[in-house]
Amino acid sequence: EVQLLESGGGLVQPGGSLRLSCVASGFTFSNYAMSWVRQAPGKGLEWVSAISASGGTTSYADAVKGRFTVSKEISKSTLYLQMNSLRVEDTAVYYCAKAFGTISLFDYWGEGALVTVSS
Amino acid sequence: DIQMTQSPATLSASVGDRVTITCRASQNIFAWLAWYQQKPGKAPKLLIQKASNLERGVPSRFSGSGSGTEFTLTISSLQPDDFATYYCQQYNTYNTFGQGTKLEIK
């Protein structure tokens, strides 16, 4: 059974940093691209970042480019999102999602980690 | 960037009703369109990919159609478990989600 478990969310001040983790199980982590998708309170879904199966290729939404970094530690089956220079508008539930067939289609999602950016 | 527009934003319906949600893309995305269901406090669930391919385990009352720029999600006979928010997503070029359609009980 595929499972994705996020951790690392919390309250941080504007300008601060936070690192999210997503531990994957139930599939061969090195064979699949992964993404982070976020959802601000009461709002819709917004893709944030993606990383290829090998970890060699990454992509970012314009809203986070230059501030967020996605990475994979294949030996630990763990996906990361390093978030720097956080803004109030980054407040959201962050989901990790496993890609299916193509890097941008998501067949399994974690339960999410809440990040609150506030002073 | 490809924009996705869903309608309606909110849909009120009763158990047993047939409902249709529409998703329009700002440019041709062929059939690279997915539908997700999300319940409050839960992660989205993939229902349909490539416009009309039902995921394993998804009830057959759900169906998807369309290509190019116009797509629909139809639920043939609403069940109590279907009241949720539905999102379309294009994955032809990167990916973009629609703004969502909240399906509520009338």
Side-chain angles (χ1 to χ4, degrees), chain A residues 39 43-45 47 95 100 102 104-107 109-111, chain B residues 34 36 38 42-44 46 49 55 87 89 91 94-95 97:
Chain A
Q39 187 169 37
K43 302 297 184 182
L45 301 168
W47 172 78
Y95 296 101
F100 165 61
T102 169
S104 295
L105 178 64
F106 313 124
D107 60 347
W109 299 60
E111 286 305 309
Chain B
Y36 297 85
Q38 187 180 33
K42 298 296 186 182
L46 178 63
Q49 43 91 9
E55 283 297 284
Y87 293 92
Q89 178 212 18
Y91 54 102
Y94 295 105
N95 72 88
F97 291 93

Side-chain angles (χ1 to χ4, degrees), chain B residues 62-104:
Chain B
F62 290 89
S63 64
S65 65
S67 65
T69 61
E70 295 265 340
F71 301 86
T72 59
L73 171 70
T74 300
I75 309 173
S76 60
S77 178
L78 273 175
Q79 299 302 301
D81 191 50
D82 301 338
F83 292 96
T85 299
Y86 293 85
Y87 293 92
C88 63
Q89 178 212 18
Q90 69 81 16
Y91 54 102
N92 179 67
T93 306
Y94 295 105
N95 72 88
T96 315
F97 291 93
Q99 77 275 25
T101 295
K102 183 177 181 180
L103 179 54
E104 58 182 27

Side-chain angles (χ1 to χ4, degrees), chain A residues 15-87:
Chain A
S17 297
L18 212 56
R19 188 178 81 158
L20 301 181
S21 301
C22 171
V23 177
S25 60
F27 64 101
T28 304
F29 188 64
S30 59
N31 288 353
Y32 293 90
M34 300 289 295
S35 272
W36 290 97
V37 178
R38 69 184 180 184
Q39 187 169 37
K43 302 297 184 182
L45 301 168
E46 179 188 20
W47 172 78
V48 172
S49 180
I51 188 166
S52 63
S54 67
T57 302
T58 59
S59 55
Y60 300 91
D62 287 345
V64 307
K65 201 171 293 183
R67 300 187 297 124
F68 289 12
T69 303
V70 63
S71 61
K72 273 183 137 186
E73 190 166 0
I74 290 175
S75 64
K76 293 187 176 181
S77 295
T78 301
L79 175 72
Y80 300 102
L81 185 67
Q82 177 67 44
M83 304 183 291
N84 298 332
S85 302
L86 282 161
R87 305 168 180 168

Side-chain angles (χ1 to χ4, degrees), chain A residues 88-102:
Chain A
V88 171
E89 56 265 34
D90 293 320
T91 294
V93 174
Y94 285 72
Y95 296 101
C96 69
K98 171 186 168 290
F100 165 61
T102 169

Side-chain angles (χ1 to χ4, degrees), chain B residues 22-45:
Chain B
T22 298
C23 183
R24 290 187 174 87
S26 60
Q27 61 190 75
N28 185 4
I29 59 168
F30 306 95
W32 303 115
L33 191 284
W35 290 97
Y36 297 85
Q37 177 193 66
Q38 187 180 33
K39 296 182 179 178
K42 298 296 186 182
K45 173 187 174 182

